[in-house]
């Protein structure tokens, strides 16, 4: 999520009406870019992006069995840690 192509095309930053900084991720655009190979990433990174997008936008669905099978050891550990923390 820190790659230049993702940050440049999928994150929109600005200032709110009360002058506080604001940023949002266009998850739909991110998945469209991923599916059309406009974002360069490993299968594991693509899986993490798909999971994040599904959490950020309820309209984006993922097939977890497929996604989890594509994650490398580092990312599967991060996902399981996040799930464990989220569930107390």
């Amino acid at each position: 999520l820190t790659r230049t192509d993702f940050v440049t095309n999928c994150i929109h930053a600005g200032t709110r009406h009360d002058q506080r900084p604001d940023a949002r991720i266009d998850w739909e655009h991110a998945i469209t870019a991923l599916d059309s190979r406009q974002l360069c990433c490993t299968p594991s990174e693509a899986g993490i992006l798909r999971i994040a997008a599904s959490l950020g936008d309820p309209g984006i669905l993922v097939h977890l069995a497929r996604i989890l099978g594509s994650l490398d050891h580092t990312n599967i550990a991060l996902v399981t840690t996040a799930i464990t923390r989220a569930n107390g």
Side-chain angles (χ1 to χ4, degrees), residues 25-79:
I25 298 172
D26 184 342
W27 292 113
E28 188 173 323
H29 180 78
I31 296 302
T32 299
L34 184 62
D35 289 343
S36 63
R37 301 180 193 260
Q38 294 174 3
L39 292 178
C40 179
C41 57
T42 67
S44 186
E45 291 168 332
I48 291 294
L49 178 57
R50 289 183 190 283
I51 291 170
S54 74
L55 294 171
D57 183 336
I60 297 174
L61 305 177
V62 296
H63 191 285
L64 275 179
R66 262 189 235 140
I67 298 291
L68 294 175
S70 72
L71 300 181
D72 60 27
H73 291 287
T74 299
N75 284 324
I76 195 73
L78 292 170
V79 168

Side-chain angles (χ1 to χ4, degrees), residues 14-29:
T15 305
R16 294 178 5 169
H17 68 291
D18 60 1
Q19 301 306 310
R20 292 185 2 194
D22 185 51
R24 70 174 188 83
I25 298 172
D26 184 342
W27 292 113
E28 188 173 323
H29 180 78

